[in-house]
Amino acid sequence: MTIYLFLFGVLLSTGLFFLAADLLHLPTLATQKAMLSAGKQTKAKPKTTDALLRNAAVGLSRYLRMDAYKKTRMANVLSAAGLSDSPELFTATAIVKAAAIGLCIIPCLIVLPLLAPIVLFTAVLVYFKEIRKADEALAAKRRKIEQELPRFVATITQELKASRDVLSMLENFKKNAGEDFAAELDILTADMRSSSYEAALTRFEARFNSPMLSDITRGLISVLRGDDGGMYFQMLAHDMKQLELQRLKAQAMKIPPKIRVFSFAMLMCFLMTYMAVIVYEIITSLGGIF
């Protein structure tokens, strides 16, 4: 009798939910998944759980309140990282994902209480991982862009000998830049066409908070103000070349420990080959004696 009452409650709740969704004109799950994939550049389709968590995060974001400084800083980070979420929605998404894992404590307390602390610890880890996702994405994007800055400075140094058109320099380099840097230069050039050149360069510098990029933007602003700029960019190109060499040396220093493992394996293979030949010759010699 109890199982029938349980099934009746489940079916009744499901029916009431569908009736309420139709009356309130709520979007279907397929529509929510299509909306999630519309703003993404990846071809991977969003999962059903992502759509459900997103829906809960949108509802929670309406009640979150953030101070002006934290909201402005997070909005700048999200914009620079290429994420379209608002600061409230981004924070709500992290809270909802952590809460979804935290709810697993309830069945753990019933079935196996010893797993409850592990589930709670996992929920806390998920929250901090999600809340740092924008900073990590921005740091990865900044590293990719900074790898192209030495070539960018060298190009500007050569073009300053023939022209002082900063917008033309950026347009020409954008054709051969990497994907991330080309996208940022596209935003910069569009901003320069619609507003002041100096203001657009200042906003471009503030988006990434990179010391190397700040040096370049200061040099470009000085060129716009009428300074020569040639000697400045020559010195900057020399400094960035040294920084690039240091970065490559640091990457090279990480390679030997990885190679050492394979070198040891190759050494063992050579030794086993020699030992096999020696043992074979010994056995052959002993067979001839006897």
Side-chain angles (χ1 to χ4, degrees), residues 86-153:
S86 64
E88 293 85 358
L89 181 57
F90 181 77
T91 306
T93 303
I95 295 174
V96 167
K97 288 184 178 181
I101 297 177
L103 289 176
C104 298
I105 293 178
I106 298 175
C108 287
L109 292 174
I110 298 173
V111 180
L112 192 58
L114 293 177
L115 287 178
I118 299 176
V119 174
L120 180 61
F121 182 70
T122 304
V124 174
L125 288 180
V126 168
Y127 171 77
F128 284 107
K129 179 183 178 182
E130 291 295 325
I131 207 68
R132 290 198 300 263
K133 185 179 291 185
D135 293 323
E136 293 174 355
L138 178 59
K141 190 174 184 180
R142 186 189 296 121
R143 284 194 297 269
K144 291 181 180 179
I145 291 177
E146 286 181 347
Q147 290 177 4
E148 299 189 56
L149 293 183
R151 185 166 58 92
F152 182 47
V153 173

